[in-house]
Amino acid sequence: MTDHSSIEALKAAVPRAWHAVLAGFNAPTQVQLEVIPAVMAGGPVLVMAPTASGKTEAYTAPIAEKILGGSGPGGLSAWIVSPTRALVNDLTRRITPPLAAMGLRVGRRTGERREISGADPPHMVVTTPESLDSILTRTPSMLSGARVLVLDDVHILAGTPRGDQLACLVSRVRAVSKDIQLIASSATVDDPEGIAGRYLGRDAGIIQVPGDRPIAAEFIQGGWSGLAMGLQRLTAQGGGVRKVLAFVRRRIDAERLFSMFKGRPPFGDAVFLHHGSLSRSRRETVERRMLTGTAGLCFATTTLEVGIDIGDIDLVVLAEPPPDVSSLLQRIGRGNRRTRTTRVWCMVRDEAQRLRYEHLIEAAGEGRLLGGSYHFCPSVLVQQCLGLLMQTPGKWITAKALAPRLPGWLNRTGWLPGLPELLDHLATQAWLVPAGRSRYTMGEKLEEAFERGLIHTNIDSGAGGVELVDQDTLQVIGSLPRHATGDGPMLLGGRRLRISKTLGRSKALVADTGARADLKVAGRGPLMHATLARDFARFIGLPPDTAPVVYMEDGAVGLFHFLGDLWSALLGVLIQDRTGRKPMRGNAFCLLMKGLPGPFPLNIPMEEIQAAAIRHRIKLLRRVLEGPWAKHMPPEWRTRHLLECLDMEGFQKTLKGMVIQDPAQPAQERVLVRLISPLRAGPGTLVNK
C-alpha cells in the first residue's frame, strides 16, 4: 500500500499534472511512484512494466510538467515514437484530454495524419519510426527544439529491422538536439541492459516493475463448437464475461470464425473481425466498438496483440499456443485489467499442444522469456545511408561523414568499417553516383524513391498490394497481395468477393459472390528460438541433450532435436550433405525423414558447418530477419549476417553434447508423435521397435 509521504512527494514533483493526468487512479501505481521522479531528474530512463500498470501516465505527467515549467508552453517540445499507426491513434486519444486540461496540445504525424502546423505547432507529437525518419530527412530543424523523445512500447520493435532503424534515428535526433532527454517504455524483456544501451545509452536508468497478476488458464477442447458452448454457458450463468478477444494465427482463420459466430448466440451481431488485410477505417471501427460497447467477441490476428485500447476485456481466447513467452504476455495482457487475475482460455487439440501452453504459462509466471540473442541487421545501413544523404544540405555523403551520425555502439559490431564497400555497392546499383574524393551524390533510383517516400521504411511489404473497393459504396474494404487477388473469389471482411473491374495494378472494384471463397495471404510463420525449444524438452521430461527417435508406420522417422527453427534448418542441410538424404520437413522440435540416416556424426568440424551454411544460405536466410533492404547489400554482407545469426559455435557445442535415443522411450512416444503432426497430413501411427 502506498504511504502518504510518497503521494505527497509525487504531488510536489508534478503539481500541475497531478489532477489532470493522474486523477484516473485511486492512488499512484508503483511504476508512477518510481518513474515520475526519475523523468523529472532529466536523465535517460527505461521503464519496464506490464500492460495496464499506468506507465503511459508515468512518463506523460512529468513531460507535461516540464513543458509547463519551462519558459512557457510554446513550441513543439516532446516527441513520442510508437510502433504502429494504430498505436499512434490510440495513444493520442488517451493522452489528449488530460493534456488539454493543462492547456497543452497533442498532434499526430503519420503517413495518414500530419497535425503539425508551422505557425502554431502542438506541444507534443506522437509519430511512427517511418514518419520520424521522413522528418529527419526532409525537415530536421523541426526537431531542433525538442526537449524529450519517448520510445513507446520499444519491445515490439527491438530485435527487428525496424528496431535497428529506430536506434539509428535516435542517434540522428541527438545530433540535431544534443540535450534531448530519452525515455523508453517496454514490457518485460530478457536483456534490459542491452535495450537501454542500444536506444538510450549506457548511463540510462532502468526501472522495472514486475507484474503481479496470476494467470488463470482453462483448457478448452472440442474446437470452436466447444468454445461456443463454453461462452453460452458462461453468459447464461452470469460468469462476468461481456467482452472476449480471441487470437488466431492466420487471417483466414479469423475470417472463417467471424462468419461462423456472427449473428449467433451469445454475442449476436456484436461479433467483430480485425486483421491486417482490412482497411484502416474498418479496423478503427472495430476498435471503437469494442471500446465503447457493452459486449463483444472479436477474432483477431497479431494486429491486436499490441496495446491498442479496446476497453476492459473479460476473457482472452488463444486458438493455439503463441510462438514465444513475450507473445503470450502481450496477448493475455489485453484482458482483465479490472481484476487481479488474468483469465485466459487455451484451445487444445491434443496433449502435446496442452503441454506447450503449460510450458509458456510456467515460463511467464517465473519471468523467463527464453528469447534469442540480439544481432544487428545490417540492411538498415542501406536505408540510413540513403536517408542521411538526403538530409545533408549538399545532398552528398562519405563513409567518414556517415559513421558519426550512427549509434556509437555499432563500432563494436564490426559493420561500420565496411561503409565504403556499402557505398560503392549502392553506386553500382544506381542508388548513388560517385563524385570524387570518396563522395557520393544522389542517383536516379534514389531521387525517384525519395519523391515517392519509399526510403523511410524497413517494413517488408512483400510484392505489393491491391486495394479492394466496394463497387456499390466505393468504400475501401481492405488490401491483399496481388497473388491473392488473381485466382478466384476472395474472403475478406466476412464477405465473399469477386473482382468486377481492375483499376490499374494497385486497385480493383469488387462485388459480392455466392461462390466458395478463400483468403490467400502468404507469409512466414513465427520462428522459435533454440532457447525456448530446448527448455520445452526439459519441461516434458526429456533428459538433458537427449534426441529421441520416433518411427511411424508409413516408414517416416522423426528425429527430435529441440534446436529451434534456424538450427533445425541447419541440421537438416548438414544431414543432406553428409548422407544424401534430404529431410522431408522440419520444425523447431524435429526433422521428419523417410528413414534414419545411419549413425549420423554429431561431432562436426566448424569448417563443415560453415561450408554447409554458405552452400544452403538461400534456404537458411528464410529463417532470418533481414529486412526489405537486404537485396541492396553486398552479397558478402548477407552471408556474414546469416553466419552471425546462426551462432555456429553454440550450434556445434549443442550438437556435440547430444545423445540420440533410438528408439524413444515408450512413455515419451505419445507426446512426441503429436509434435510431428503439424509436419504430416494426419497424426500418424507409432511403430514399436
Side-chain angles (χ1 to χ4, degrees):
M1 187 173 180
T2 306
D3 61 83
H4 182 71
S5 60
S6 298
I7 295 177
E8 291 303 314
L10 207 62
K11 284 184 178 180
V14 288
R16 303 172 184 86
W18 175 258
H19 290 291
V21 180
L22 303 176
F25 298 87
N26 294 328
T29 65
Q30 186 62 37
V31 68
Q32 292 162 0
L33 288 169
E34 296 187 35
V35 169
I36 289 175
V39 173
M40 291 300 294
V45 181
L46 170 62
V47 184
M48 291 189 299
T51 302
S53 61
K55 62 177 177 283
T56 299
E57 292 78 10
Y59 67 72
T60 302
I63 290 174
E65 192 72 31
K66 285 189 167 197
I67 294 174
L68 288 177
S71 57
L76 177 50
S77 299
W79 293 74
I80 303 177
V81 183
S82 201
T84 67
R85 294 175 182 177
L87 286 174
V88 167
N89 295 336
D90 182 66
L91 183 60
T92 303
R93 178 185 60 78
R94 286 192 285 140
I95 67 176
T96 294
L99 294 187
M102 299 175 65
L104 301 178
R105 298 183 305 280
V106 180
R108 288 170 291 184
R109 175 54 161 86
T110 66
E112 298 161 345
R113 294 179 172 89
R114 305 192 176 193
E115 300 167 351
I116 307 177
S117 62
D120 190 21
H123 303 97
M124 187 180 297
V125 167
V126 189
T127 189
T128 60
E130 291 71 31
S131 286
L132 180 62
D133 193 303
S134 177
I135 291 169
L136 279 167
T137 302
R138 298 165 188 269
T139 53
S141 60
M142 192 177 293
L143 287 137
S144 60
R147 298 169 58 187
V148 182
L149 176 66
V150 179
L151 312 178
D152 194 47
D153 285 330
V154 71
H155 62 281
I156 295 175
L157 301 179
T160 70
R162 293 183 73 216
D164 288 336
Q165 174 189 10
L166 181 59
C168 293
L169 296 179
V170 170
S171 180
R172 290 168 61 183
V173 169
R174 297 180 78 171
V176 175
S177 182
K178 299 186 182 300
D179 297 325
I180 195 167
Q181 181 182 12
L182 301 176
I183 302 167
S185 76
S186 171
T188 303
V189 292
D190 271 330
D191 182 22
E193 291 79 12
I195 294 286
R198 292 199 295 275
Y199 294 99
L200 308 179
R202 292 184 174 181
D203 59 340
I206 300 175
I207 297 175
Q208 184 168 1
V209 178
D212 57 357
R213 289 194 300 168
I215 302 170
E218 296 182 44
F219 298 96
I220 306 300
Q221 296 180 334
W224 293 104
S225 60
L227 173 65
M229 293 174 61
L231 292 175
Q232 290 179 28
R233 184 179 65 254
L234 275 182
T235 54
Q237 296 173 350
V241 175
R242 299 188 299 273
K243 291 185 181 180
V244 179
L245 178 58
F247 283 105
V248 299
R249 183 172 68 87
R250 302 183 305 167
R251 301 177 192 185
I252 183 59
D253 296 329
E255 288 280 352
R256 290 172 177 167
L257 291 165
F258 170 73
S259 299
M260 183 187 304
F261 279 76
K262 180 72 171 177
R264 299 179 182 178
F267 290 97
D269 289 333
V271 177
F272 308 109
L273 177 67
H274 198 286
H275 61 71
S277 291
L278 297 172
S279 68
R280 172 181 58 84
S281 62
R282 287 174 178 261
R283 293 196 304 270
E284 290 181 357
T285 297
V286 169
E287 295 159 17
R288 184 169 58 254
R289 292 191 64 182
M290 284 292 289
L291 175 65
T292 59
T294 57
L297 167 62
C298 182
F299 293 100
T301 57
T302 55
T303 53
L304 280 182
E305 185 176 305
V306 294
I308 302 169
D309 187 3
I310 54 174
D312 294 313
I313 301 300
D314 303 303
L315 175 66
V316 172
V317 176
L318 304 178
E320 58 184 302
D324 51 46
V325 182
S326 294
S327 293
L328 173 74
L329 291 171
Q330 281 288 117
R331 295 177 191 183
I332 67 176
R334 307 308 316 278
N336 303 99
R337 300 185 181 189
R338 296 171 299 183
T339 67
R340 301 297 298 173
T341 301
T342 298
R343 191 175 186 182
V344 55
W345 279 9
C346 305
M347 300 189 63
V348 296
R349 293 191 305 268
D350 51 48
E351 179 185 357
Q353 195 173 62
R354 177 171 178 144
L355 286 170
R356 286 194 59 198
Y357 278 118
E358 291 177 344
H359 173 235
L360 292 170
I361 292 170
E362 176 196 83
E366 296 174 353
R368 299 184 302 118
L369 300 187
L370 302 172
S373 54
Y374 168 75
H375 300 282
F376 175 73
C377 183
S379 70
V380 169
L381 293 178
V382 175
Q383 184 258 335
Q384 288 297 300
C385 283
L386 304 180
L388 281 163
L389 184 151
M390 300 307 295
Q391 180 181 341
T392 306
K395 298 294 184 289
W396 60 267
I397 197 70
T398 66
K400 185 176 181 180
L402 178 63
R405 304 190 196 182
L406 297 170
W409 54 264
L410 274 179
N411 288 296
R412 302 192 296 274
T413 67
W415 289 107
L416 291 189
L419 286 177
E421 177 189 5
L422 177 60
L423 294 175
D424 281 342
H425 184 74
L426 291 174
T428 65
Q429 293 192 333
W431 286 102
L432 306 179
V433 174
R437 293 187 300 175
S438 302
R439 285 191 179 191
Y440 296 84
T441 59
M442 175 176 54
E444 290 185 8
K445 189 182 291 188
L446 174 55
E447 183 176 10
E448 179 183 355
F450 178 73
E451 290 176 355
R452 296 173 60 190
L454 301 179
I455 68 167
H456 307 302
T457 180
N458 272 280
I459 299 175
D460 196 343
S461 58
V466 177
E467 187 177 69
L468 303 180
V469 181
D470 188 303
Q471 70 171 13
D472 297 319
T473 66
L474 298 184
Q475 291 185 338
V476 177
I477 299 173
S479 60
L480 292 173
R482 290 193 185 96
H483 70 82
T485 61
D487 187 21
M490 302 154 289
L491 183 65
L492 186 61
R495 297 169 59 184
R496 298 178 181 182
L497 301 169
R498 61 173 177 83
I499 292 180
S500 57
K501 184 179 181 180
T502 57
L503 304 174
R505 283 178 55 82
S506 59
K507 182 177 289 190
L509 297 179
V510 293
D512 292 297
T513 178
R516 180 181 177 85
D518 207 339
L519 180 61
K520 299 176 181 179
V521 181
R524 180 180 62 186
L527 301 178
M528 183 182 296
H529 192 267
T531 307
L532 179 62
R534 292 182 67 74
D535 194 74
F536 179 68
R538 171 205 61 80
F539 181 79
I540 64 176
L542 289 180
D545 300 314
T546 300
V549 177
V550 173
Y551 293 86
M552 314 298 287
E553 265 190 354
D554 59 4
V557 177
L559 173 61
F560 283 85
H561 49 67
F562 296 95
L563 290 175
D565 287 290
L566 182 56
W567 279 1
S568 176
L570 179 57
L571 178 61
V573 299
L574 283 168
I575 290 176
Q576 178 181 343
D577 287 355
R578 273 286 184 110
T579 69
R581 295 187 181 183
K582 182 180 179 180
M584 294 186 290
R585 285 175 292 278
N587 62 17
F589 301 133
C590 75
L591 290 173
L592 185 66
M593 298 173 287
K594 292 182 179 179
L596 193 65
F600 179 72
L602 298 176
N603 190 10
I604 301 180
M606 181 61 69
E607 296 79 10
E608 183 177 348
I609 298 175
Q610 180 169 322
I614 294 174
R615 185 160 48 249
H616 298 277
R617 60 186 177 275
I618 301 302
K619 178 178 181 178
L620 297 176
L621 280 170
R622 299 188 192 120
R623 292 163 175 82
V624 171
L625 284 176
E626 287 194 288
W629 295 92
K631 60 186 177 182
H632 303 295
M633 291 193 297
E636 298 80 10
W637 280 41
R638 296 187 72 180
T639 300
R640 177 188 161 191
H641 181 226
L642 170 65
L643 297 180
E644 287 186 0
C645 293
L646 281 171
D647 180 19
M648 292 182 296
E649 290 186 3
F651 174 79
Q652 183 189 46
K653 180 179 179 181
T654 301
L655 203 63
K656 186 176 181 179
M658 234 180 229
V659 177
I660 294 180
Q661 187 182 81
D662 183 11
Q665 296 295 323
Q668 301 164 354
E669 286 181 333
R670 187 163 60 90
V671 172
L672 294 176
V673 74
R674 292 293 185 180
L675 295 175
I676 300 179
S677 296
L679 302 178
R680 301 169 56 87
T685 305
L686 287 173
V687 173
N688 293 322
K689 296 200 71 170

